[in-house]
mmCIF file of all heavy atoms in Angstrom:
data_model
loop_
_atom_site.group_PDB
_atom_site.id
_atom_site.type_symbol
_atom_site.label_atom_id
_atom_site.label_comp_id
_atom_site.label_asym_id
_atom_site.label_seq_id
_atom_site.Cartn_x
_atom_site.Cartn_y
_atom_site.Cartn_z
ATOM 1 N N ALA A 8 -73.185 -82.728 -40.981
ATOM 2 C CA ALA A 8 -72.785 -83.324 -39.705
ATOM 3 C C ALA A 8 -73.769 -84.394 -39.252
ATOM 4 O O ALA A 8 -74.951 -84.360 -39.598
ATOM 5 C CB ALA A 8 -72.680 -82.241 -38.634
ATOM 6 N N SER A 9 -73.259 -85.319 -38.462
ATOM 7 C CA SER A 9 -74.103 -86.318 -37.806
ATOM 8 C C SER A 9 -74.806 -85.713 -36.602
ATOM 9 O O SER A 9 -75.916 -86.119 -36.247
ATOM 10 C CB SER A 9 -73.256 -87.512 -37.361
ATOM 11 O OG SER A 9 -72.545 -88.073 -38.437
ATOM 12 N N ALA A 10 -74.138 -84.754 -35.968
ATOM 13 C CA ALA A 10 -74.716 -84.087 -34.794
ATOM 14 C C ALA A 10 -74.147 -82.679 -34.678
ATOM 15 O O ALA A 10 -72.985 -82.442 -35.013
ATOM 16 C CB ALA A 10 -74.433 -84.879 -33.524
ATOM 17 N N ILE A 11 -74.983 -81.772 -34.206
ATOM 18 C CA ILE A 11 -74.562 -80.394 -33.944
ATOM 19 C C ILE A 11 -74.938 -80.055 -32.508
ATOM 20 O O ILE A 11 -76.068 -80.304 -32.080
ATOM 21 C CB ILE A 11 -75.226 -79.408 -34.918
ATOM 22 C CG1 ILE A 11 -74.798 -79.718 -36.370
ATOM 23 C CG2 ILE A 11 -74.865 -77.964 -34.565
ATOM 24 C CD1 ILE A 11 -75.501 -78.871 -37.417
ATOM 25 N N VAL A 12 -73.978 -79.503 -31.784
ATOM 26 C CA VAL A 12 -74.161 -79.143 -30.375
ATOM 27 C C VAL A 12 -74.179 -77.624 -30.244
ATOM 28 O O VAL A 12 -73.312 -76.933 -30.790
ATOM 29 C CB VAL A 12 -73.023 -79.720 -29.504
ATOM 30 C CG1 VAL A 12 -73.187 -79.289 -28.054
ATOM 31 C CG2 VAL A 12 -72.978 -81.248 -29.609
ATOM 32 N N ILE A 13 -75.183 -77.110 -29.530
ATOM 33 C CA ILE A 13 -75.250 -75.673 -29.224
ATOM 34 C C ILE A 13 -75.438 -75.555 -27.710
ATOM 35 O O ILE A 13 -76.543 -75.679 -27.190
ATOM 36 C CB ILE A 13 -76.401 -74.981 -29.967
ATOM 37 C CG1 ILE A 13 -76.351 -75.276 -31.472
ATOM 38 C CG2 ILE A 13 -76.350 -73.472 -29.735
ATOM 39 C CD1 ILE A 13 -77.515 -74.701 -32.249
ATOM 40 N N MET A 14 -74.352 -75.315 -27.019
ATOM 41 C CA MET A 14 -74.366 -75.358 -25.555
ATOM 42 C C MET A 14 -74.108 -73.968 -24.971
ATOM 43 O O MET A 14 -73.058 -73.371 -25.221
ATOM 44 C CB MET A 14 -73.310 -76.360 -25.066
ATOM 45 C CG MET A 14 -73.271 -76.560 -23.572
ATOM 46 S SD MET A 14 -72.058 -77.821 -23.080
ATOM 47 C CE MET A 14 -72.878 -79.298 -23.645
ATOM 48 N N HIS A 15 -75.081 -73.430 -24.223
ATOM 49 C CA HIS A 15 -74.929 -72.124 -23.569
ATOM 50 C C HIS A 15 -74.705 -71.005 -24.580
ATOM 51 O O HIS A 15 -73.992 -70.043 -24.295
ATOM 52 C CB HIS A 15 -73.739 -72.127 -22.586
ATOM 53 C CG HIS A 15 -73.744 -73.225 -21.589
ATOM 54 N ND1 HIS A 15 -72.598 -73.687 -20.993
ATOM 55 C CD2 HIS A 15 -74.741 -73.991 -21.090
ATOM 56 C CE1 HIS A 15 -72.895 -74.668 -20.169
ATOM 57 N NE2 HIS A 15 -74.197 -74.862 -20.213
ATOM 58 N N VAL A 16 -75.312 -71.102 -25.748
ATOM 59 C CA VAL A 16 -75.023 -70.150 -26.822
ATOM 60 C C VAL A 16 -76.254 -69.386 -27.308
ATOM 61 O O VAL A 16 -76.191 -68.167 -27.515
ATOM 62 C CB VAL A 16 -74.369 -70.881 -28.024
ATOM 63 C CG1 VAL A 16 -74.296 -69.969 -29.247
ATOM 64 C CG2 VAL A 16 -72.983 -71.370 -27.648
ATOM 65 N N LEU A 17 -77.377 -70.050 -27.485
ATOM 66 C CA LEU A 17 -78.531 -69.426 -28.140
ATOM 67 C C LEU A 17 -78.932 -68.100 -27.511
ATOM 68 O O LEU A 17 -79.231 -67.139 -28.218
ATOM 69 C CB LEU A 17 -79.730 -70.379 -28.135
ATOM 70 C CG LEU A 17 -79.822 -71.436 -29.236
ATOM 71 C CD1 LEU A 17 -81.145 -72.165 -29.141
ATOM 72 C CD2 LEU A 17 -79.636 -70.828 -30.614
ATOM 73 N N HIS A 18 -78.955 -68.037 -26.181
ATOM 74 C CA HIS A 18 -79.430 -66.798 -25.547
ATOM 75 C C HIS A 18 -78.454 -65.639 -25.714
ATOM 76 O O HIS A 18 -78.778 -64.500 -25.400
ATOM 77 C CB HIS A 18 -79.753 -67.029 -24.062
ATOM 78 C CG HIS A 18 -78.581 -67.417 -23.221
ATOM 79 N ND1 HIS A 18 -78.193 -68.730 -23.023
ATOM 80 C CD2 HIS A 18 -77.713 -66.672 -22.498
ATOM 81 C CE1 HIS A 18 -77.148 -68.771 -22.220
ATOM 82 N NE2 HIS A 18 -76.834 -67.529 -21.889
ATOM 83 N N HIS A 19 -77.244 -65.929 -26.225
ATOM 84 C CA HIS A 19 -76.267 -64.864 -26.467
ATOM 85 C C HIS A 19 -76.366 -64.283 -27.873
ATOM 86 O O HIS A 19 -75.677 -63.299 -28.172
ATOM 87 C CB HIS A 19 -74.843 -65.393 -26.248
ATOM 88 C CG HIS A 19 -74.504 -65.638 -24.817
ATOM 89 N ND1 HIS A 19 -74.331 -64.615 -23.918
ATOM 90 C CD2 HIS A 19 -74.307 -66.797 -24.133
ATOM 91 C CE1 HIS A 19 -74.041 -65.130 -22.723
ATOM 92 N NE2 HIS A 19 -74.030 -66.445 -22.835
ATOM 93 N N LEU A 20 -77.174 -64.871 -28.735
ATOM 94 C CA LEU A 20 -77.331 -64.312 -30.077
ATOM 95 C C LEU A 20 -78.068 -62.969 -30.008
ATOM 96 O O LEU A 20 -78.627 -62.611 -28.982
ATOM 97 C CB LEU A 20 -78.071 -65.305 -30.972
ATOM 98 C CG LEU A 20 -77.372 -66.659 -31.178
ATOM 99 C CD1 LEU A 20 -78.142 -67.505 -32.183
ATOM 100 C CD2 LEU A 20 -75.926 -66.495 -31.629
ATOM 101 N N LYS A 21 -78.079 -62.241 -31.102
ATOM 102 C CA LYS A 21 -78.537 -60.849 -31.068
ATOM 103 C C LYS A 21 -80.052 -60.679 -31.086
ATOM 104 O O LYS A 21 -80.554 -59.581 -30.838
ATOM 105 C CB LYS A 21 -77.917 -60.096 -32.241
ATOM 106 C CG LYS A 21 -76.392 -59.986 -32.138
ATOM 107 C CD LYS A 21 -75.808 -59.264 -33.338
ATOM 108 C CE LYS A 21 -74.293 -59.185 -33.232
ATOM 109 N NZ LYS A 21 -73.687 -58.525 -34.420
ATOM 110 N N SER A 22 -80.788 -61.753 -31.397
ATOM 111 C CA SER A 22 -82.241 -61.663 -31.439
ATOM 112 C C SER A 22 -82.828 -63.063 -31.511
ATOM 113 O O SER A 22 -82.129 -64.034 -31.823
ATOM 114 C CB SER A 22 -82.707 -60.848 -32.654
ATOM 115 O OG SER A 22 -82.388 -61.538 -33.848
ATOM 116 N N TYR A 23 -84.147 -63.153 -31.270
ATOM 117 C CA TYR A 23 -84.830 -64.427 -31.459
ATOM 118 C C TYR A 23 -84.831 -64.815 -32.936
ATOM 119 O O TYR A 23 -84.777 -65.997 -33.284
ATOM 120 C CB TYR A 23 -86.259 -64.351 -30.926
ATOM 121 C CG TYR A 23 -86.336 -64.263 -29.414
ATOM 122 C CD1 TYR A 23 -86.891 -63.147 -28.787
ATOM 123 C CD2 TYR A 23 -85.857 -65.309 -28.610
ATOM 124 C CE1 TYR A 23 -86.956 -63.070 -27.402
ATOM 125 C CE2 TYR A 23 -85.917 -65.229 -27.232
ATOM 126 C CZ TYR A 23 -86.470 -64.115 -26.629
ATOM 127 O OH TYR A 23 -86.532 -64.034 -25.254
ATOM 128 N N GLU A 24 -84.853 -63.821 -33.817
ATOM 129 C CA GLU A 24 -84.814 -64.088 -35.255
ATOM 130 C C GLU A 24 -83.477 -64.722 -35.647
ATOM 131 O O GLU A 24 -83.438 -65.611 -36.504
ATOM 132 C CB GLU A 24 -85.033 -62.794 -36.031
ATOM 133 C CG GLU A 24 -86.440 -62.212 -35.956
ATOM 134 C CD GLU A 24 -86.750 -61.543 -34.613
ATOM 135 O OE1 GLU A 24 -85.796 -61.162 -33.893
ATOM 136 O OE2 GLU A 24 -87.945 -61.422 -34.276
ATOM 137 N N GLU A 25 -82.407 -64.264 -35.012
ATOM 138 C CA GLU A 25 -81.095 -64.844 -35.309
ATOM 139 C C GLU A 25 -81.028 -66.290 -34.817
ATOM 140 O O GLU A 25 -80.402 -67.143 -35.457
ATOM 141 C CB GLU A 25 -79.988 -64.005 -34.662
ATOM 142 C CG GLU A 25 -78.610 -64.328 -35.204
ATOM 143 C CD GLU A 25 -77.564 -63.319 -34.788
ATOM 144 O OE1 GLU A 25 -77.131 -63.362 -33.624
ATOM 145 O OE2 GLU A 25 -77.184 -62.480 -35.626
ATOM 146 N N GLN A 26 -81.682 -66.564 -33.694
ATOM 147 C CA GLN A 26 -81.770 -67.944 -33.223
ATOM 148 C C GLN A 26 -82.445 -68.827 -34.267
ATOM 149 O O GLN A 26 -81.977 -69.925 -34.582
ATOM 150 C CB GLN A 26 -82.556 -68.018 -31.907
ATOM 151 C CG GLN A 26 -81.875 -67.404 -30.709
ATOM 152 C CD GLN A 26 -82.719 -67.520 -29.454
ATOM 153 O OE1 GLN A 26 -83.794 -68.116 -29.462
ATOM 154 N NE2 GLN A 26 -82.243 -66.939 -28.363
ATOM 155 N N GLU A 27 -83.576 -68.325 -34.790
ATOM 156 C CA GLU A 27 -84.344 -69.103 -35.764
ATOM 157 C C GLU A 27 -83.526 -69.360 -37.024
ATOM 158 O O GLU A 27 -83.540 -70.460 -37.587
ATOM 159 C CB GLU A 27 -85.642 -68.374 -36.107
ATOM 160 C CG GLU A 27 -86.559 -69.164 -37.010
ATOM 161 C CD GLU A 27 -87.978 -68.606 -37.061
ATOM 162 O OE1 GLU A 27 -88.269 -67.634 -36.335
ATOM 163 O OE2 GLU A 27 -88.793 -69.161 -37.820
ATOM 164 N N LYS A 28 -82.803 -68.363 -37.476
ATOM 165 C CA LYS A 28 -81.970 -68.511 -38.665
ATOM 166 C C LYS A 28 -80.889 -69.570 -38.445
ATOM 167 O O LYS A 28 -80.641 -70.414 -39.319
ATOM 168 C CB LYS A 28 -81.334 -67.168 -39.017
ATOM 169 C CG LYS A 28 -80.490 -67.201 -40.283
ATOM 170 C CD LYS A 28 -79.903 -65.826 -40.586
ATOM 171 C CE LYS A 28 -79.016 -65.875 -41.825
ATOM 172 N NZ LYS A 28 -78.412 -64.540 -42.122
ATOM 173 N N LEU A 29 -80.246 -69.540 -37.273
ATOM 174 C CA LEU A 29 -79.178 -70.493 -36.982
ATOM 175 C C LEU A 29 -79.715 -71.918 -36.895
ATOM 176 O O LEU A 29 -79.135 -72.850 -37.472
ATOM 177 C CB LEU A 29 -78.475 -70.125 -35.673
ATOM 178 C CG LEU A 29 -77.354 -71.080 -35.243
ATOM 179 C CD1 LEU A 29 -76.220 -71.083 -36.271
ATOM 180 C CD2 LEU A 29 -76.823 -70.711 -33.863
ATOM 181 N N ILE A 30 -80.822 -72.106 -36.187
ATOM 182 C CA ILE A 30 -81.396 -73.450 -36.066
ATOM 183 C C ILE A 30 -81.812 -73.975 -37.436
ATOM 184 O O ILE A 30 -81.595 -75.151 -37.762
ATOM 185 C CB ILE A 30 -82.590 -73.452 -35.101
ATOM 186 C CG1 ILE A 30 -82.147 -73.063 -33.686
ATOM 187 C CG2 ILE A 30 -83.254 -74.831 -35.078
ATOM 188 C CD1 ILE A 30 -81.100 -73.979 -33.083
ATOM 189 N N GLY A 31 -82.399 -73.109 -38.266
ATOM 190 C CA GLY A 31 -82.792 -73.514 -39.606
ATOM 191 C C GLY A 31 -81.608 -74.003 -40.422
ATOM 192 O O GLY A 31 -81.687 -75.020 -41.124
ATOM 193 N N GLU A 32 -80.488 -73.291 -40.310
ATOM 194 C CA GLU A 32 -79.279 -73.690 -41.029
ATOM 195 C C GLU A 32 -78.736 -75.017 -40.498
ATOM 196 O O GLU A 32 -78.301 -75.876 -41.273
ATOM 197 C CB GLU A 32 -78.221 -72.592 -40.909
ATOM 198 C CG GLU A 32 -76.933 -72.853 -41.653
ATOM 199 C CD GLU A 32 -77.102 -72.942 -43.159
ATOM 200 O OE1 GLU A 32 -78.104 -72.419 -43.689
ATOM 201 O OE2 GLU A 32 -76.225 -73.550 -43.819
ATOM 202 N N CYS A 33 -78.781 -75.182 -39.193
ATOM 203 C CA CYS A 33 -78.312 -76.434 -38.592
ATOM 204 C C CYS A 33 -79.126 -77.628 -39.090
ATOM 205 O O CYS A 33 -78.568 -78.671 -39.445
ATOM 206 C CB CYS A 33 -78.410 -76.360 -37.067
ATOM 207 S SG CYS A 33 -77.209 -75.269 -36.293
ATOM 208 N N VAL A 34 -80.431 -77.476 -39.098
ATOM 209 C CA VAL A 34 -81.306 -78.575 -39.534
ATOM 210 C C VAL A 34 -81.004 -78.952 -40.980
ATOM 211 O O VAL A 34 -80.948 -80.139 -41.332
ATOM 212 C CB VAL A 34 -82.787 -78.191 -39.365
ATOM 213 C CG1 VAL A 34 -83.692 -79.258 -39.975
ATOM 214 C CG2 VAL A 34 -83.123 -78.011 -37.883
ATOM 215 N N LYS A 35 -80.768 -77.969 -41.837
ATOM 216 C CA LYS A 35 -80.441 -78.238 -43.235
ATOM 217 C C LYS A 35 -79.165 -79.064 -43.368
ATOM 218 O O LYS A 35 -79.040 -79.893 -44.273
ATOM 219 C CB LYS A 35 -80.265 -76.921 -43.998
ATOM 220 C CG LYS A 35 -81.532 -76.141 -44.242
ATOM 221 C CD LYS A 35 -81.204 -74.851 -44.975
ATOM 222 C CE LYS A 35 -82.428 -73.958 -45.115
ATOM 223 N NZ LYS A 35 -82.085 -72.653 -45.765
ATOM 224 N N ARG A 36 -78.221 -78.824 -42.483
ATOM 225 C CA ARG A 36 -76.908 -79.448 -42.614
ATOM 226 C C ARG A 36 -76.789 -80.777 -41.883
ATOM 227 O O ARG A 36 -75.772 -81.458 -42.001
ATOM 228 C CB ARG A 36 -75.823 -78.486 -42.107
ATOM 229 C CG ARG A 36 -75.825 -77.107 -42.748
ATOM 230 C CD ARG A 36 -75.898 -77.181 -44.262
ATOM 231 N NE ARG A 36 -74.723 -77.813 -44.842
ATOM 232 C CZ ARG A 36 -74.629 -78.236 -46.088
ATOM 233 N NH1 ARG A 36 -75.679 -78.125 -46.905
ATOM 234 N NH2 ARG A 36 -73.522 -78.776 -46.536
ATOM 235 N N LEU A 37 -77.803 -81.153 -41.135
ATOM 236 C CA LEU A 37 -77.768 -82.449 -40.444
ATOM 237 C C LEU A 37 -77.978 -83.596 -41.423
ATOM 238 O O LEU A 37 -78.784 -83.505 -42.353
ATOM 239 C CB LEU A 37 -78.853 -82.514 -39.371
ATOM 240 C CG LEU A 37 -78.607 -81.780 -38.061
ATOM 241 C CD1 LEU A 37 -79.854 -81.860 -37.185
ATOM 242 C CD2 LEU A 37 -77.398 -82.360 -37.307
ATOM 243 N N ASP A 38 -77.261 -84.696 -41.189
ATOM 244 C CA ASP A 38 -77.504 -85.918 -41.935
ATOM 245 C C ASP A 38 -78.917 -86.423 -41.643
ATOM 246 O O ASP A 38 -79.551 -86.005 -40.665
ATOM 247 C CB ASP A 38 -76.503 -87.002 -41.527
ATOM 248 C CG ASP A 38 -75.074 -86.651 -41.906
ATOM 249 O OD1 ASP A 38 -74.880 -85.826 -42.815
ATOM 250 O OD2 ASP A 38 -74.147 -87.210 -41.274
ATOM 251 N N LYS A 39 -79.399 -87.339 -42.472
ATOM 252 C CA LYS A 39 -80.674 -87.983 -42.192
ATOM 253 C C LYS A 39 -80.609 -88.640 -40.818
ATOM 254 O O LYS A 39 -79.638 -89.323 -40.496
ATOM 255 C CB LYS A 39 -80.982 -89.036 -43.261
ATOM 256 C CG LYS A 39 -82.335 -89.700 -43.086
ATOM 257 C CD LYS A 39 -82.575 -90.730 -44.176
ATOM 258 C CE LYS A 39 -83.921 -91.416 -43.965
ATOM 259 N NZ LYS A 39 -84.172 -92.460 -45.006
ATOM 260 N N ASP A 40 -81.622 -88.411 -39.992
ATOM 261 C CA ASP A 40 -81.667 -88.891 -38.602
ATOM 262 C C ASP A 40 -80.584 -88.261 -37.733
ATOM 263 O O ASP A 40 -80.264 -88.780 -36.662
ATOM 264 C CB ASP A 40 -81.552 -90.426 -38.530
ATOM 265 C CG ASP A 40 -82.688 -91.129 -39.251
ATOM 266 O OD1 ASP A 40 -83.829 -90.637 -39.164
ATOM 267 O OD2 ASP A 40 -82.433 -92.154 -39.904
ATOM 268 N N GLY A 41 -80.014 -87.142 -38.205
ATOM 269 C CA GLY A 41 -78.984 -86.470 -37.423
ATOM 270 C C GLY A 41 -79.543 -85.825 -36.166
ATOM 271 O O GLY A 41 -80.755 -85.639 -36.020
ATOM 272 N N MET A 42 -78.642 -85.467 -35.247
ATOM 273 C CA MET A 42 -79.039 -84.938 -33.946
ATOM 274 C C MET A 42 -78.644 -83.474 -33.782
ATOM 275 O O MET A 42 -77.525 -83.078 -34.115
ATOM 276 C CB MET A 42 -78.389 -85.753 -32.820
ATOM 277 C CG MET A 42 -78.667 -85.215 -31.414
ATOM 278 S SD MET A 42 -77.814 -86.149 -30.122
ATOM 279 C CE MET A 42 -78.687 -87.718 -30.220
ATOM 280 N N LEU A 43 -79.566 -82.698 -33.258
ATOM 281 C CA LEU A 43 -79.295 -81.334 -32.807
ATOM 282 C C LEU A 43 -79.456 -81.331 -31.306
ATOM 283 O O LEU A 43 -80.536 -81.619 -30.791
ATOM 284 C CB LEU A 43 -80.260 -80.344 -33.456
ATOM 285 C CG LEU A 43 -80.154 -78.880 -32.997
ATOM 286 C CD1 LEU A 43 -78.794 -78.303 -33.362
ATOM 287 C CD2 LEU A 43 -81.271 -78.049 -33.614
ATOM 288 N N LEU A 44 -78.387 -81.027 -30.591
ATOM 289 C CA LEU A 44 -78.414 -81.060 -29.131
ATOM 290 C C LEU A 44 -78.208 -79.641 -28.609
ATOM 291 O O LEU A 44 -77.186 -79.012 -28.879
ATOM 292 C CB LEU A 44 -77.333 -82.006 -28.603
ATOM 293 C CG LEU A 44 -77.392 -82.369 -27.121
ATOM 294 C CD1 LEU A 44 -76.775 -83.753 -26.880
ATOM 295 C CD2 LEU A 44 -76.681 -81.342 -26.252
ATOM 296 N N ILE A 45 -79.196 -79.151 -27.882
ATOM 297 C CA ILE A 45 -79.173 -77.777 -27.368
ATOM 298 C C ILE A 45 -79.215 -77.806 -25.840
ATOM 299 O O ILE A 45 -80.069 -78.469 -25.254
ATOM 300 C CB ILE A 45 -80.373 -76.976 -27.902
ATOM 301 C CG1 ILE A 45 -80.328 -76.905 -29.437
ATOM 302 C CG2 ILE A 45 -80.403 -75.571 -27.306
ATOM 303 C CD1 ILE A 45 -81.587 -76.344 -30.061
ATOM 304 N N ASP A 46 -78.306 -77.091 -25.223
ATOM 305 C CA ASP A 46 -78.287 -76.949 -23.761
ATOM 306 C C ASP A 46 -78.534 -75.477 -23.451
ATOM 307 O O ASP A 46 -77.745 -74.621 -23.842
ATOM 308 C CB ASP A 46 -76.928 -77.408 -23.218
ATOM 309 C CG ASP A 46 -76.872 -77.406 -21.704
ATOM 310 O OD1 ASP A 46 -77.942 -77.444 -21.067
ATOM 311 O OD2 ASP A 46 -75.756 -77.379 -21.146
ATOM 312 N N GLU A 47 -79.652 -75.202 -22.765
ATOM 313 C CA GLU A 47 -80.027 -73.801 -22.536
ATOM 314 C C GLU A 47 -80.641 -73.590 -21.153
ATOM 315 O O GLU A 47 -81.235 -74.505 -20.564
ATOM 316 C CB GLU A 47 -81.053 -73.360 -23.588
ATOM 317 C CG GLU A 47 -80.439 -72.657 -24.792
ATOM 318 C CD GLU A 47 -79.772 -71.338 -24.424
ATOM 319 O OE1 GLU A 47 -80.329 -70.552 -23.640
ATOM 320 O OE2 GLU A 47 -78.670 -71.086 -24.942
ATOM 321 N N VAL A 48 -80.499 -72.377 -20.652
ATOM 322 C CA VAL A 48 -81.148 -71.957 -19.421
ATOM 323 C C VAL A 48 -82.666 -71.946 -19.628
ATOM 324 O O VAL A 48 -83.162 -71.486 -20.656
ATOM 325 C CB VAL A 48 -80.671 -70.547 -19.014
ATOM 326 C CG1 VAL A 48 -81.536 -69.976 -17.910
ATOM 327 C CG2 VAL A 48 -79.204 -70.587 -18.591
ATOM 328 N N ASP A 49 -83.391 -72.473 -18.655
ATOM 329 C CA ASP A 49 -84.857 -72.465 -18.690
ATOM 330 C C ASP A 49 -85.344 -71.156 -18.055
ATOM 331 O O ASP A 49 -85.102 -70.889 -16.874
ATOM 332 C CB ASP A 49 -85.384 -73.674 -17.908
ATOM 333 C CG ASP A 49 -86.904 -73.767 -17.911
ATOM 334 O OD1 ASP A 49 -87.536 -73.094 -18.748
ATOM 335 O OD2 ASP A 49 -87.445 -74.512 -17.075
ATOM 336 N N LYS A 50 -86.027 -70.355 -18.862
ATOM 337 C CA LYS A 50 -86.494 -69.055 -18.373
ATOM 338 C C LYS A 50 -87.755 -69.223 -17.525
ATOM 339 O O LYS A 50 -88.875 -69.237 -18.016
ATOM 340 C CB LYS A 50 -86.792 -68.124 -19.553
ATOM 341 C CG LYS A 50 -87.198 -66.714 -19.118
ATOM 342 C CD LYS A 50 -87.478 -65.830 -20.326
ATOM 343 C CE LYS A 50 -87.891 -64.435 -19.889
ATOM 344 N NZ LYS A 50 -88.185 -63.555 -21.050
ATOM 345 N N LYS A 51 -87.538 -69.374 -16.244
ATOM 346 C CA LYS A 51 -88.645 -69.364 -15.289
ATOM 347 C C LYS A 51 -88.131 -68.628 -14.064
ATOM 348 O O LYS A 51 -86.962 -68.753 -13.694
ATOM 349 C CB LYS A 51 -89.102 -70.779 -14.934
ATOM 350 C CG LYS A 51 -88.022 -71.717 -14.417
ATOM 351 C CD LYS A 51 -88.606 -73.084 -14.144
ATOM 352 C CE LYS A 51 -87.540 -74.035 -13.597
ATOM 353 N NZ LYS A 51 -88.108 -75.384 -13.343
ATOM 354 N N TYR A 52 -88.989 -67.856 -13.438
ATOM 355 C CA TYR A 52 -88.526 -66.890 -12.455
ATOM 356 C C TYR A 52 -88.302 -67.536 -11.095
ATOM 357 O O TYR A 52 -89.087 -67.409 -10.167
ATOM 358 C CB TYR A 52 -89.484 -65.699 -12.403
ATOM 359 C CG TYR A 52 -89.401 -64.913 -13.683
ATOM 360 C CD1 TYR A 52 -90.319 -65.142 -14.714
ATOM 361 C CD2 TYR A 52 -88.379 -63.998 -13.898
ATOM 362 C CE1 TYR A 52 -90.220 -64.443 -15.912
ATOM 363 C CE2 TYR A 52 -88.277 -63.298 -15.084
ATOM 364 C CZ TYR A 52 -89.195 -63.515 -16.088
ATOM 365 O OH TYR A 52 -89.089 -62.834 -17.282
ATOM 366 N N THR A 53 -87.160 -68.241 -11.043
ATOM 367 C CA THR A 53 -86.708 -68.897 -9.822
ATOM 368 C C THR A 53 -85.378 -68.268 -9.418
ATOM 369 O O THR A 53 -84.772 -67.498 -10.181
ATOM 370 C CB THR A 53 -86.503 -70.398 -10.065
ATOM 371 O OG1 THR A 53 -85.468 -70.563 -11.067
ATOM 372 C CG2 THR A 53 -87.788 -71.069 -10.550
ATOM 373 N N PHE A 54 -84.900 -68.627 -8.245
ATOM 374 C CA PHE A 54 -83.592 -68.146 -7.801
ATOM 375 C C PHE A 54 -82.500 -68.571 -8.771
ATOM 376 O O PHE A 54 -81.595 -67.795 -9.095
ATOM 377 C CB PHE A 54 -83.284 -68.671 -6.397
ATOM 378 C CG PHE A 54 -81.895 -68.336 -5.927
ATOM 379 C CD1 PHE A 54 -81.589 -67.066 -5.478
ATOM 380 C CD2 PHE A 54 -80.895 -69.294 -5.962
ATOM 381 C CE1 PHE A 54 -80.297 -66.746 -5.067
ATOM 382 C CE2 PHE A 54 -79.601 -68.987 -5.550
ATOM 383 C CZ PHE A 54 -79.313 -67.712 -5.104
#
């Protein structure tokens, strides 16, 4: 792919290890200079 989008998904995976496995696979499949775009909640203790 030219770009891979992961929006509101990573924190729903079963473990941090599963996150790492998925990101690793995504990076392998990106074209040269390809984009990985991640949209995630920032874990900081605010309202």
